[in-house]
Amino acid sequence: MTRSFKQFAQKIRDINQRYNEPHIEMSTAVRWSLMVLRVYLLFLVSLMIYKFITLLK
Amino acid sequence: MQLSLIRDVWITHNQPDGAKPGHQGHKSMQLIPRLYYKIRKWTKAIQLYLVIAGPGLVVMIADNDAGGITTYASTGAKYGYHLIWFLLLLIPIAYYVQEMTVRLGAVTKRGHAEAIFDGFGAFWGWFSLIDLMIVDWLTLVTEFIGMTSALSIFGIPPWATVTGVVLLMGTIVMNGRYWTWEKIAMLFCVLNLIYIPGAFMVNASVSDILKDGFIPHFPGGFNGELFFFLMANIGTTIAPWMLFFQQSSVVDKGLQEKDIPWGRFDTLLGSALTVLVAVFIIIVTGTVLHGVEIDSASQAAEYLMKTNHLVGTFMAIGLFNAGLLGAICISLATSWAFGEIFGWAHSLNQNIKEAPWFYASYFLTLITSGLVVLIPGAPLVLITLFVQVVAVTLLPAALVFLILLLNDKKHMGDYCNTTWDNWIGGIIVLIIVILSSLYGISVLFPNMFQ
């Protein structure tokens, strides 16, 4: 069990290493799009957390 | 590889002499030989299309899944034929989005998950993969809800439906050939057309359909409830799993750059068929159940049975088939994505011994989602609502990545998006992102658009 878990963790590390750097050309448009996407997702996650908290209350 | 071989052999054996350069002396040809030549040319084109057809048709028709059927049935019951024009607008929208996955898959030979990892790095890759896994699993639960409720109309208990579906889907994928799987899936696609004869049996008024359905307008004025229905229809037409599924399917089938025109046609035909089926569902419920409050497609089937037993039966069979087709595609979308990233063998052309992890993830997703439906008191309504919210977090990201990847000249070469493609694709993506986000927010805060 521990060995399987270690192998899985190693696999994840390999994947992270393999895709460490983005291979798409990071033009201004790409950087800008990714930034907007981050803000958008943060906004959505915040809304979900807010809804979750209000549900708990 | 297999597809490429079939296609090349076919072209070699069927190339008409008249098609070769320098043999264009058609002017002297008689009418009958010319007609014969035209018919033969078209027959061969259709034969070639049948070799390449599949990913676009299957993904678009599977898009009419259990949730989709419920949305269309409710739309018809609420607004009659008045929103048919809106559904027709969704044909080019669905086509433009899915066409991009055909090009990306055929050129890069990578699935969407792998393309995101490679293009944008591990952070966005993991975000997309884990989000896809959650959305797909939740959507699978909704497919099982649809299938069990459809068959319970015929007295089949949920446990028997879940067991039967898992066994059937296991048999379909474990034959070790993509081609066989695809043709079986296409048979289920044909069954999805069952709503069309149903619509002819309810004696709908063609003049009313043309008068109410084909002139763009907002019945009762533009209000919060109508807006919710419009968003629900868009949300069910473009789903995140479709991008991942079609791209992986194109790769697994082995489509190449020269197959892109046929892949486009396949997708266009699928987009038209999926909307056609939706329109016929609206005609059925808009004719028989107009003004009746509908919560689910199975409820619509039960109501329809009271007025026309056969049409109600068609609705129930169609709902089961829609759930099954959706489940077939969604479970594969996840397994393909994980296979691509973890480096497992992940092709339907490989058997269970050659690709054990691929099939393990397929069955794990399938069985666990099926079991949820069997848990007494499971929060199925909450799950159904939660799917729409989580899908909203994945869809915009997947669409933005799609556009950016299609603009990557280094990998896409001549198949890169043109400025025109970017304008159309960009506007469509922007509209989908805004509307699907509003839809997700309206699910979280139901009173917001009242």
Side-chain angles (χ1 to χ4, degrees):
Chain A
M1 185 73 176
T2 316
R3 199 175 149 214
S4 301
F5 185 76
K6 278 183 180 170
Q7 278 178 342
F8 184 72
Q10 183 56 43
K11 188 82 190 169
I12 303 283
R13 275 196 291 274
D14 290 345
I15 292 169
N16 286 339
Q17 202 158 18
R18 194 179 347 140
Y19 298 112
N20 190 28
E21 288 295 320
H23 289 116
I24 198 167
E25 194 188 331
M26 280 290 162
S27 61
T28 314
V30 174
R31 281 181 202 280
W32 189 82
S33 303
L34 292 179
M35 178 59 76
V36 171
L37 198 58
R38 273 177 214 265
V39 173
Y40 169 80
L41 289 170
L42 272 172
F43 167 70
L44 277 183
V45 171
S46 312
L47 274 182
M48 278 191 244
I49 293 169
Y50 171 76
K51 177 72 181 179
F52 184 69
I53 292 168
T54 49
L55 272 179
L56 282 180
K57 281 180 180 174
Chain B
M1 185 65 86
Q2 196 179 31
L3 172 76
S4 166
L5 191 68
I6 293 169
R7 184 191 42 234
D8 291 344
V9 168
W10 182 91
I11 288 170
T12 311
H13 283 277
N14 292 283
Q15 190 75 13
D17 292 341
K20 289 174 186 169
H23 286 262
Q24 295 183 1
H26 293 284
K27 283 178 186 170
S28 61
M29 286 174 83
Q30 302 276 327
L31 180 68
I32 293 174
R34 280 177 72 175
L35 198 65
Y36 169 74
Y37 170 72
K38 288 262 181 202
I39 291 170
R40 213 176 72 154
K41 194 176 153 192
W42 276 101
T43 311
K44 284 170 183 169
I46 292 166
Q47 284 173 341
L48 180 58
Y49 168 65
L50 290 176
V51 174
I52 292 166
L57 269 180
V58 173
V59 76
M60 295 309 305
I61 295 178
D63 179 40
N64 280 344
D65 60 353
I69 302 295
T70 295
T71 305
Y72 303 135
S74 308
T75 305
K78 179 81 186 170
Y79 294 104
Y81 313 137
H82 292 275
L83 291 182
I84 287 176
W85 65 270
F86 182 75
L87 284 175
L88 295 175
L89 291 180
L90 297 178
I91 297 177
I93 290 180
Y95 167 74
Y96 266 105
V97 171
Q98 292 301 128
E99 183 272 338
M100 287 192 275
T101 66
V102 176
R103 261 188 293 152
L104 195 55
V107 174
T108 64
K109 313 285 184 286
R110 285 190 305 224
H112 201 51
E114 193 180 352
I116 293 172
F117 262 92
D118 188 63
F120 303 98
F123 170 78
W124 287 114
W126 285 118
F127 164 78
S128 302
L129 189 66
I130 293 167
D131 215 354
L132 176 76
M133 183 184 73
I134 297 168
V135 175
D136 280 2
W137 188 84
L138 291 168
T139 314
L140 260 179
V141 175
T142 65
E143 306 301 352
F144 273 106
I145 295 169
M147 284 186 281
T148 50
S149 60
L151 290 194
S152 66
I153 294 172
F154 304 111
I156 298 171
W159 66 265
T161 305
V162 171
T163 312
V165 165
V166 170
L167 288 174
L168 178 66
M169 286 177 62
T171 314
I172 293 171
V173 295
M174 286 201 302
N175 64 70
R177 284 192 68 191
Y178 174 89
W179 192 90
T180 314
W181 170 84
E182 188 182 79
K183 298 311 165 211
I184 295 170
M186 283 172 85
L187 273 179
F188 289 115
C189 290
V190 173
L191 195 60
N192 201 263
L193 304 177
I194 197 167
Y195 298 101
I196 297 175
F200 282 101
M201 290 158 72
V202 295
N203 299 319
S205 160
V206 177
S207 60
D208 282 352
I209 294 170
L210 293 174
K211 184 165 60 76
D212 296 341
F214 287 84
I215 299 165
H217 67 289
F218 296 114
F222 194 83
N223 54 44
E225 198 174 20
L226 175 71
F227 188 49
F228 185 84
F229 270 89
L230 296 180
M231 288 187 293
N233 278 284
I234 287 189
T236 194
T237 307
I238 308 288
W241 64 265
M242 292 167 66
L243 307 176
F244 290 82
F245 174 85
Q246 189 167 4
Q247 198 172 325
S248 296
S249 180
V250 161
V251 175
D252 204 356
K253 182 155 183 162
L255 292 193
Q256 297 172 15
E257 285 94 328
K258 57 184 170 182
D259 301 320
I260 289 174
W262 284 113
R264 282 176 173 150
F265 177 71
D266 191 39
T267 309
L268 183 63
L269 188 63
S271 314
L273 278 176
T274 193
V275 171
L276 185 76
V277 169
V279 167
F280 276 94
I281 295 170
I282 284 186
I283 290 174
V284 170
T285 56
T287 306
V288 184
L289 304 174
H290 193 188
V292 179
E293 197 80 17
I294 295 293
D295 292 327
S296 67
S298 60
Q299 191 188 28
E302 283 175 311
Y303 286 164
L304 284 168
M305 275 178 167
K306 288 174 189 165
T307 51
N308 189 324
H309 190 77
L310 201 55
V311 175
T313 308
F314 279 4
M315 178 64 92
I317 293 171
L319 174 61
F320 172 77
N321 180 63
L324 183 67
L325 201 53
I328 287 172
C329 297
I330 292 164
S331 46
L332 270 178
T334 312
S335 304
W336 267 325
F338 270 86
E340 288 158 16
I341 302 309
F342 280 82
W344 305 329
H346 58 276
S347 171
L348 284 170
N349 287 317
Q350 290 158 318
N351 62 33
I352 201 159
K353 279 185 187 167
E354 293 165 324
W357 287 107
F358 172 66
Y359 288 103
S361 73
Y362 176 83
F363 281 107
L364 186 71
T365 318
L366 196 61
I367 293 169
T368 50
S369 54
L371 286 176
V372 170
V373 184
L374 301 180
I375 298 170
L380 299 181
V381 176
L382 194 66
I383 288 173
T384 310
L385 292 175
F386 195 55
V387 173
Q388 292 149 0
V389 178
V390 181
V392 166
T393 62
L394 179 58
L395 186 61
L399 287 173
V400 169
F401 293 145
L402 189 63
I403 294 262
L404 294 179
L405 287 166
L406 261 294
N407 279 286
D408 184 17
K409 191 84 182 162
K410 193 171 78 181
H411 289 106
M412 291 304 295
D414 293 341
Y415 295 92
C416 206
N417 262 6
T418 59
T419 312
W420 181 241
D421 288 334
N422 280 334
W423 270 107
I424 295 176
I427 290 168
I428 288 173
V429 168
L430 196 66
I431 291 170
I432 294 172
V433 169
I434 292 170
L435 290 181
S436 64
S437 303
L438 289 172
Y439 182 49
I441 292 167
S442 69
V443 172
L444 278 174
F445 306 98
N447 297 325
M448 185 166 273
F449 299 107
Q450 296 286 316

